[in-house]
Amino acid sequence: EMKKNNSILYDEIIAHRLGLIPLITDLGSYEIQKEGDAPSAKNQLKIALKEKGPKIVKASDLQFDDPKIKPVYPEMPIVKLLKGQELEFEAKATLGVGKTHMKWSPGHIFYKYKPKIEIKKQPKDVKSYIENCPKNLFNEKSSKLELNPTKIQESDLYEACVDVEQGVIEVSYDDTQFIFTLESWGQLETKEILTKALEVFNNKLDELSAKIKE
């Protein structure tokens, strides 16, 4: 609900920018609104802002009813106010899930097959070869190229080494093993995201099992 806004940005743009601010989420205090239920303090949070220029209004300027809820990135800018410009509004943040809308997605997850790198022959210039490959992927030992296996999972650019000098290494993949990477936007800890996802998955399996028994 916009009360004052004579900034350079329209109300709709301000609202859109607010929707992109990730908030630290307390799943112990809030729950997803069930279909048919009215909104309540269990699934909504009141937010307020009242600022006057000249200043850059940031996420840290938002006032929350619940002190445990804060912006993940306090320095995230909302709008720049010039002298005499004002921004005042009240808003509500609602707990949701990424399946409903991407704005509720807590992070990014992807996977790849487990890579396998084999050194087939020594390069003409070991130092130069190491410098043109991902950092720390290879070491030099007794003037020979040596693979650092602990760094394979940390890089996605090892295939570029194949083109540095043909025939030095061979890259293959094990399609029976996967490497999952989970990156949180900051609303939830990565462990919490994974635990909650497994909980949802297990509930679906229980539901499927009950349907089969019917």
Side-chain angles (χ1 to χ4, degrees), residues 31 44 58 116 122 128 141 163 187 195:
E31 59 186 39
Q44 283 193 344
K58 300 178 182 179
K116 182 180 179 183
Q122 290 297 314
S128 177
K141 186 176 181 180
D163 297 325
Q187 299 100 311
T195 302

Side-chain angles (χ1 to χ4, degrees), residues 63-78:
Q63 302 296 315
F64 299 90
D65 275 358
D66 185 349
K68 296 194 299 292
I69 308 301
K70 299 177 182 178
V72 176
Y73 308 105
E75 293 300 304
M76 184 176 283
I78 298 173

Side-chain angles (χ1 to χ4, degrees), residues 65-188:
D65 275 358
D66 185 349
K68 296 194 299 292
I69 308 301
K70 299 177 182 178
V72 176
Y73 308 105
E75 293 300 304
M76 184 176 283
I78 298 173
V79 66
K80 182 177 181 179
L81 297 178
L82 301 178
K83 186 176 181 180
Q85 293 182 336
E86 296 181 68
L87 178 61
E88 182 180 355
F89 62 77
E90 290 183 357
K92 291 180 181 178
T94 305
L95 188 67
V97 294
K99 182 179 180 181
T100 305
H101 195 286
M102 186 61 189
K103 67 183 177 182
W104 282 307
S105 177
H108 177 53
I109 185 169
F110 60 92
Y111 70 90
K112 62 182 178 182
Y113 291 135
K114 185 178 179 180
K116 182 180 179 183
I117 301 175
E118 294 182 83
I119 299 176
K120 292 297 184 179
K121 69 175 186 180
Q122 290 297 314
K124 296 175 182 177
D125 187 336
V126 175
K127 285 186 171 60
S128 177
Y129 191 86
I130 292 174
E131 289 174 359
N132 284 280
C133 287
K135 190 176 181 180
N136 298 324
L137 181 60
F138 294 103
N139 301 318
E140 183 181 5
K141 186 176 181 180
S142 301
S143 300
K144 289 188 177 182
L145 187 70
E146 183 183 62
L147 176 66
N148 187 351
T150 61
K151 296 296 181 180
I152 296 177
Q153 297 184 19
E154 298 178 11
S155 175
D156 294 316
L157 302 174
Y158 32 74
E159 287 199 13
C161 297
V162 176
D163 297 325
V164 174
E165 187 178 329
Q166 294 295 323
V168 173
I169 67 167
E170 180 179 276
V171 180
S172 58
Y173 297 88
D174 183 351
D175 61 5
T176 64
Q177 297 188 62
F178 302 87
I179 298 174
F180 278 83
T181 301
L182 174 58
E183 179 184 358
S184 172
W185 302 148
Q187 299 100 311
L188 302 172

Side-chain angles (χ1 to χ4, degrees), residues 1-33:
E1 180 186 349
M2 290 290 179
K3 295 185 176 181
K4 283 185 181 180
N5 179 25
N6 59 349
S7 72
I8 194 172
L9 299 182
Y10 296 119
D11 293 354
E12 294 82 358
I13 303 298
I14 296 288
H16 178 67
R17 293 178 71 86
L18 290 173
L20 294 174
I21 297 175
L23 305 177
I24 294 172
T25 306
D26 178 13
L27 293 180
S29 303
Y30 298 88
E31 59 186 39
I32 301 294
Q33 181 181 339

